[in-house]
């Protein structure tokens, strides 16, 4: 098929082309299992896939794409309410996977068996770049999750742009252990390998030992994964032979960046994206890998920063603005939500990411955070939470930190830091002074709360709204 060129035989075949949780498939075996799913899924309005980390998930996803049916990845740990919403909202009539839940009422179960084969009469759907490849559901931080419609052309443009940025090709072995229901783990981490022809090793769980044993040339991880690897010096050193270590889905703490550089001999490459846009900004394999920065736009992607007055801000490394973008990797809108789709774009056609950023004069982007929780307006100043977090993490006694803006009757908001400390000697005054010595005084935390850990989602992002709940 045109999107996944490895399955067209362009790169030949190999017995262990796709390895998921120690189970190997050749591209030919994967294609035949996927065709069996495609034959049964053809004509359905959508195919839901229970996305466990197993080769059957890969076969089911590829089968949906072969059939020309929108694929709806379903988190395997989703509760009955979330699962029911996704299945109902997506219009899926089929649910593929292994060990399917019993409460998927109204859907036809499509058990995935790797030994199954399609009949001789079946043919794949005609290629259509405008056809919806995926309905990917957002995190639902502002209500029930919305289904983002991702067309085939966006997937192809994104993977080709990343192949160019990361010099990703058929000689690589890609290793990761990320969930198979997100852009990072599924679109990049599975379809990327099937498009570039690289061998794929999914470790099942993203453990330091699993990453070290895989002997890859290209690794994907989220900051939580990289933090654990950096804390395991022996595992980290095993990655020294890799060509590129990629981090995404949340900001990589600078201390982790530096530890990885010291232990592996190379700095990790960060990138930026979201469900609706796929990956739009990335550090290039042949370029500078700058701590705290996510790189430059992919080919065809344009970005701009907009201030509170609606005017475009300069790329001067100082101005903090709302990040907006245009390009070939964007979604086609939210399923059944024309109002939400319209609200996500400006009048002149730019997508509102909801993130705030700073762009250096050389085009390098730094993501400050989400506008809703990471842009703090205090006493007339606009303060990026990410900048304060980075300063706190530079303190030798700080393991992790999250900064939020708490309501204040005088200043509007005040900077509050939640800090995971390495020992009992770290004090609030010490951390406040530490930040004030490195950043403008108005950016120092007005309050520091020492905590045992920070609440995070499956992709390692801190759930800041939980930090603002009463009693924290």
């Amino acid at each position: 098929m045109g999107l996944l060129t490895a399955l067209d035989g362009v790169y030949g075949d190999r017995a262990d082309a796709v390895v998921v949780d120690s189970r190997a498939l050749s591209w030919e075996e994967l294609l035949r299992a996927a065709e069996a799913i495609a034959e049964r899924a053809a004509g359905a309005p959508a195919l839901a896939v229970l996305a466990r980390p197993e080769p059957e998930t890969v076969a089911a996803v590829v089968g949906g794409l072969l059939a020309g049916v929108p694929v709806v990845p379903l988190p395997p740990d989703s509760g009955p309410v979330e699962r029911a919403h996704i299945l109902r909202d997506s219009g899926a009539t089929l649910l593929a996977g292994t060990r399917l839940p019993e409460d998927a009422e109204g859907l036809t179960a499509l058990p995935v068996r790797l030994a199954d084969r399609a009949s001789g009469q079946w043919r794949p759907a005609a290629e259509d770049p405008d056809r919806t490849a995926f309905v990917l559901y957002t995190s639902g931080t502002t209500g029930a999750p919305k289904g983002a419609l991702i067309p085939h052309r966006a997937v192809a443009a994104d993977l080709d742009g990343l192949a160019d940025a990361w010099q990703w090709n058929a000689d690589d072995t890609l290793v990761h252990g990320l969930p198979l229901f997100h852009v990072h783990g599924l679109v990049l981490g599975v379809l990327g390998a099937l498009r570039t022809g690289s061998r794929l090793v999914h470790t099942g769980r993203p453990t330091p030992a699993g990453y070290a044993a895989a002997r890859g040339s290209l690794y994907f991880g989220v900051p939580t994964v990289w933090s654990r690897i950096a804390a395991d010096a022996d595992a980290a050193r095993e990655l020294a032979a890799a060509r590129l270590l990629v981090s995404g889905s949340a900001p990589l703490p600078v201390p982790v960046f530096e530890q990885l550089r010291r232990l592996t001999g190379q700095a990790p490459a960060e990138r930026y994206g979201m469900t609706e846009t796929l990956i739009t900004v990335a550090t290039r394999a042949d370029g500078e890998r700058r701590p705290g920065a996510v790189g430059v736009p992919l080919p065809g992607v344009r970005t701009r920063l907009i201030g509170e007055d609606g005017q475009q801000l300069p790329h001067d490394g100082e101005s903090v603005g709302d990040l907006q973008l245009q390009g070939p990797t964007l979604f086609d809108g939210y399923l059944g939500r024309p109002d939400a789709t319209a609200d996500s774009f400006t009048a002149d056609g730019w997508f509102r990411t909801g993130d705030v950023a700073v762009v250096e004069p050389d085009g390098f982007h730094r993501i400050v955070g989400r506008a809703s929780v990471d842009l703090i307006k205090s006493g007339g100043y606009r303060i990026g939470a990410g900048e304060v977090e980075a300063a706190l993490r530079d303190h030798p006694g700080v393991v992790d930190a999250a900064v939020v803006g708490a309501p204040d009757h005088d200043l509007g908001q005040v900077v509050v830091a939640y800090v995971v400390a390495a020992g009992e000697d770290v004090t609030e005054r010490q951390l406040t002074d530490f930040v004030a010595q490195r950043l403008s005084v108005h950016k120092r935390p007005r309050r520091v709360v020492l905590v045992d850990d920070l609440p995070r989602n499956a992709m390692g992002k801190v759930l800041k709204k939980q930090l603002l709940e009463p009693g924290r």
Side-chain angles (χ1 to χ4, degrees):
M1 58 181 299
L3 179 61
L4 308 179
T5 49
L7 301 184
D8 290 333
V10 172
Y11 307 105
D13 202 6
R14 55 186 305 166
D16 60 349
V18 177
V19 181
V20 185
D21 201 15
S22 301
R23 297 165 61 199
L25 291 174
S26 69
W27 285 316
E28 178 70 16
E29 290 170 329
L30 172 60
L31 178 60
R32 298 303 164 230
E35 286 176 338
I37 291 293
E39 183 175 40
R40 290 183 283 168
L47 170 67
V49 176
L50 191 59
R52 291 192 174 97
E54 53 193 17
E56 287 84 356
T57 295
V58 178
V61 169
V62 173
L65 297 176
L66 285 172
V69 172
V71 175
V72 185
L74 191 65
D77 61 349
S78 58
V81 174
E82 178 187 7
R83 182 164 57 241
H85 167 75
I86 292 175
L87 294 175
R88 182 178 61 254
D89 187 74
S90 67
T93 56
L94 304 173
L95 177 58
T98 61
R99 293 164 286 142
L100 298 174
E102 298 179 356
D103 61 349
E105 297 182 6
L107 274 77
T108 300
L110 212 61
V112 181
R113 294 177 289 266
L114 298 178
D116 285 352
R117 296 292 181 264
S119 68
Q121 290 75 38
W122 180 82
R123 293 291 182 271
E127 292 182 20
D128 180 358
D130 293 328
R131 179 184 290 129
T132 297
F134 293 99
V135 184
L136 298 177
Y137 277 79
T138 62
S139 59
T141 55
T142 57
K146 300 187 292 290
L149 301 171
I150 311 297
H152 281 248
R153 66 175 185 279
V155 175
D158 201 52
L159 296 179
D160 290 347
L162 291 173
D164 174 72
W166 295 338
Q167 301 174 359
W168 186 1
N169 58 51
D171 294 328
D172 279 310
T173 291
L174 168 64
V175 177
H176 75 90
L178 301 173
L180 297 183
F181 49 88
H182 284 297
V183 168
H184 197 168
L186 179 59
V187 179
L188 274 64
V190 172
L191 301 195
L194 295 178
R195 187 163 179 84
T196 62
S198 65
R199 180 170 175 257
L200 168 64
V201 178
H202 189 287
T203 58
R205 296 178 61 246
T207 64
Y211 273 44
R215 302 290 190 271
S217 61
L218 176 61
Y219 285 82
F220 291 169
V222 297
T224 301
V225 172
W226 291 122
S227 178
R228 291 172 181 171
I229 290 174
D232 187 333
D234 291 339
R237 291 190 184 99
E238 290 295 327
L239 272 57
R243 185 178 62 76
L244 190 65
L245 312 178
V246 179
S247 182
S249 298
L252 184 68
V254 173
V256 176
F257 181 101
E258 298 297 351
Q259 282 178 289
L260 287 172
R261 174 154 52 187
R262 178 175 59 83
L263 292 168
T264 68
Q266 64 165 302
E270 293 193 68
R271 89 302 181 277
Y272 167 77
M274 55 195 306
T275 301
E276 294 90 341
T277 68
L278 304 181
I279 307 307
T280 51
V281 180
T283 300
R284 297 186 60 86
D286 57 0
E288 181 184 358
R289 304 177 196 178
R290 193 175 299 174
V294 294
V296 297
L298 294 184
V301 174
R302 300 169 58 208
T303 65
R304 70 182 186 185
L305 298 178
I306 300 297
E308 285 187 295
D309 59 0
Q311 298 301 305
Q312 190 165 340
L313 298 175
H315 293 179
D316 56 9
E318 295 290 338
S319 300
V320 178
D322 295 327
L323 179 63
Q324 300 177 356
L325 56 86
Q326 292 180 330
T329 68
L330 267 66
F331 74 146
D332 280 342
Y334 296 111
L335 177 64
R337 295 289 304 276
D339 54 339
T341 302
D343 288 345
S344 67
F345 286 88
T346 64
D348 57 347
W350 290 74
F351 178 74
R352 309 177 197 267
T353 67
D355 287 317
V356 286
V358 173
V359 182
E360 303 288 345
D362 62 1
F364 257 74
H365 287 54
R366 287 192 292 114
I367 306 301
V368 175
R370 295 296 292 171
S372 58
V373 292
D374 291 314
L375 181 59
I376 302 168
K377 300 176 182 179
S378 181
Y381 292 103
R382 289 163 59 90
I383 302 166
E387 186 178 20
V388 184
E389 290 164 354
L392 285 164
R393 293 188 187 111
D394 283 341
H395 191 285
V398 171
V399 176
D400 204 354
V403 169
V404 297
D408 181 80
H409 72 279
D410 180 36
L411 298 174
Q413 288 180 305
V414 292
V415 178
V416 178
Y418 292 83
V419 173
V420 179
E424 298 180 357
D425 296 335
V426 178
T427 66
E428 178 177 354
R429 177 62 182 272
Q430 187 182 87
L431 294 176
T432 298
D433 291 345
F434 186 82
V435 172
Q437 291 167 7
R438 284 157 177 74
L439 305 175
S440 302
V441 173
H442 68 265
K443 297 178 181 179
R444 72 188 188 281
R446 297 300 182 106
R447 184 162 63 97
V448 175
V449 182
L450 298 176
V451 295
D452 293 332
D453 54 38
L454 299 172
R456 295 181 181 274
N457 65 13
M459 297 304 290
K461 295 181 181 180
V462 176
L463 302 173
K464 291 194 172 182
K465 290 186 178 180
Q466 289 188 15
L467 294 175
L468 289 169
E469 292 174 355
R472 294 291 303 200

